[in-house]
């Protein structure tokens, strides 16, 4: 089975599902997996395909460069357009796959269908991001990311031959709320890699938070709760393995830590490679998962919980 994977990540990628499932596991089952990915580069410049890279059992075909992320609408549009153009260029020079596996990016689906109309498409959805903006106080977010995003994502899901949702709850929502035929929807959770390290003799951190520092995580709730813990228990240490999604995420988190007087009890490490995350999680007594009561999180998969359990 020749599978062309079109992910929403740039190369190099430190993503558990891409590596553990697509690059490692599927090739052991006899699948010929080829990932078509862009790489980061300057804001402009000619497309420059690179020599295919072997990643475990999969081949990675690189195209790009993709504009750097700045958070502006113009850069976001350039990134989507550049990714589509670069990946299309790479696909045009390759043989037709037997299956397309497209992760999250709805703009890649019509492009893949136009190039190889007879190739079935599996569309994997890790989130319904438009729901996070339905009640945003910013009109631009509600109209562009909310309403327009909803239409684009759902049009892609309806056009795909099969949809892989991140959780049974999301799969049910796609069927009941958005009219995707039940026989065309499955649930495929994200991957968590078990750790076989011996348990540490002492756990130096009282708790750990390993996850995104995005604003929609509302980590102020976590920090204010931790301030109550320190007020009651005295010395308590929280390790944060935070992943900033934008340049301001880390600064915003650090400012709130300082404002709450938690500088001595909350330690935020710079991002560590995924291969080291389990090592750090195992050094804490409690794993914390923060999922605000928003529709965005109602159908997501609590990957953190699986990572905490996999780390022992």
């Amino acid at each position: 089975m020749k599978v062309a994977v079109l992910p929403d990540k740039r190369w190099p990628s430190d993503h558990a599902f891409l590596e553990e499932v697509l690059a490692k596991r599927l090739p052991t089952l006899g699948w010929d997996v080829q990932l078509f990915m862009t790489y980061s580069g300057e804001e402009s410049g000619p497309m420059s395909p690179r020599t295919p890279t072997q990643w475990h059992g999969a081949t990675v075909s690189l195209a790009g460069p993709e504009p750097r992320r700045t958070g502006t609408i113009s850069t976001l549009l350039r990134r989507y357009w550049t990714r589509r153009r670069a990946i299309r260029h790479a696909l045009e020079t390759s043989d037709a796959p037997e299956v397309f596996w497209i992760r999250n990016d709805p703009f890649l689906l019509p492009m893949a269908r136009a190039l190889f109309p007879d190739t079935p498409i599996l569309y994997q959805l890790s989130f319904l991001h438009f729901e996070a903006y339905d009640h945003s106080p910013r009109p631009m977010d509600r109209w562009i990311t909310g309403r327009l995003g909803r239409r684009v994502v759902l049009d892609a899901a309806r056009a795909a031959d099969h949809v892989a949702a991140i959780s049974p709850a999301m799969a049910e929502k796609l069927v009941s709320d958005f009219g995707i035929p039940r026989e065309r929807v499955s649930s495929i959770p994200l991957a968590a890699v078990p750790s076989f390290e011996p348990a540490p003799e002492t756990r130096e951190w009282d708790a750990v938070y390993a996850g995104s520092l995005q604003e929609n995580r509302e980590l102020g709730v976590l920090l204010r709760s931790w301030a109550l813990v320190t007020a009651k228990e005295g010395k308590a240490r929280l390790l944060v393995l935070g992943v900033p999604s934008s340049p301001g995420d880390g600064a915003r988190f650090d400012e709130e830590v300082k404002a709450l007087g938690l500088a001595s009890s909350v330690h935020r490490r710079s991002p560590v490679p995924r291969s080291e995350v389990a090592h750090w999680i195992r050094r804490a007594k409690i794993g914390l998962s923060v999922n605000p009561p928003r529709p965005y999180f109602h159908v997501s998969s609590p990957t953190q919980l699986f990572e905490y359990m996999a780390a022992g």
Side-chain angles (χ1 to χ4, degrees), residues 11-26:
W11 180 263
S13 178
D14 192 25
H15 191 275
F17 190 89
L18 288 182
E19 183 170 7
E20 301 300 330
V21 177
L22 298 178
K24 285 185 179 180
R25 178 60 176 162
L26 292 188

Side-chain angles (χ1 to χ4, degrees), residues 26-242:
L26 292 188
T28 67
L29 301 177
W31 292 33
D32 179 6
V33 178
Q34 186 171 10
L35 290 94
F36 291 85
M37 302 177 71
T38 53
Y39 58 89
S40 58
E42 299 300 327
E43 292 291 340
S44 61
M47 289 184 296
S48 50
R50 296 181 175 179
T51 304
T53 299
Q54 197 68 26
W55 192 26
H56 304 295
T59 302
V60 181
S61 292
L62 298 172
E66 181 179 313
R68 291 174 181 157
R69 183 173 182 171
T70 64
T72 64
I73 293 178
S74 61
T75 300
L76 180 64
L77 292 175
R78 285 203 305 275
R79 288 181 69 233
Y80 274 121
W81 174 252
T82 302
R83 176 184 296 167
R84 185 180 184 277
R85 184 181 62 165
I87 292 179
R88 180 186 183 98
H89 180 73
L91 284 169
E92 286 174 337
T93 59
S94 68
D95 296 331
E98 294 177 72
V99 175
F100 275 114
W101 187 315
I102 299 178
R103 279 182 46 84
N104 294 318
D105 190 337
F107 297 99
L108 294 177
L109 194 141
M111 179 266 293
R113 184 74 81 194
L115 283 176
F116 301 105
D118 297 327
T119 300
I121 296 176
L122 170 68
Y123 184 40
Q124 184 180 12
L125 275 173
S126 300
F127 41 78
L128 298 177
H129 68 279
F130 51 80
E131 293 196 325
Y133 298 93
D134 281 348
H135 305 289
S136 172
R138 296 189 287 261
M140 188 70 72
D141 286 344
R142 291 199 305 272
W143 281 96
I144 294 182
T145 312
R147 296 189 182 184
L148 182 59
R150 177 187 300 268
R151 178 171 179 175
V152 171
V153 170
L154 294 180
D155 281 352
R158 294 183 179 111
D161 295 278
H162 202 82
V163 181
I166 195 175
S167 67
M170 180 187 286
E172 184 58 35
K173 188 177 186 69
L174 289 171
V175 172
S176 60
D177 292 8
F178 302 131
I180 310 296
R182 189 174 298 276
E183 63 272 13
R184 286 174 43 209
V185 181
S186 300
S187 173
I188 303 179
L190 293 182
V193 183
S195 171
F196 299 103
E197 283 186 37
E201 293 184 5
T202 59
R203 298 183 185 258
E204 58 194 276
W205 301 96
D206 294 293
V208 60
Y209 170 78
S212 173
L213 297 180
Q214 277 184 296
E215 187 175 4
N216 65 5
R217 285 286 176 177
E218 299 183 16
L219 294 180
V221 175
L222 169 65
L223 293 177
R224 291 191 293 274
S225 300
W226 196 251
L228 295 175
V229 172
T230 58
K232 181 178 180 180
E233 301 295 333
K235 187 177 180 180
R237 304 183 70 206
L238 170 63
L239 173 65
V240 177
L241 302 175

Side-chain angles (χ1 to χ4, degrees), residues 126 166-169 189-192 210 217 288-291 297-309:
S126 300
I166 195 175
S167 67
L190 293 182
R217 285 286 176 177
L288 302 177
S289 180
V290 181
N291 288 294
F297 295 107
H298 290 171
V299 297
S300 63
S301 175
T303 308
Q304 287 170 324
L305 298 183
F306 295 114
E307 290 177 337
Y308 295 154
M309 290 187 287

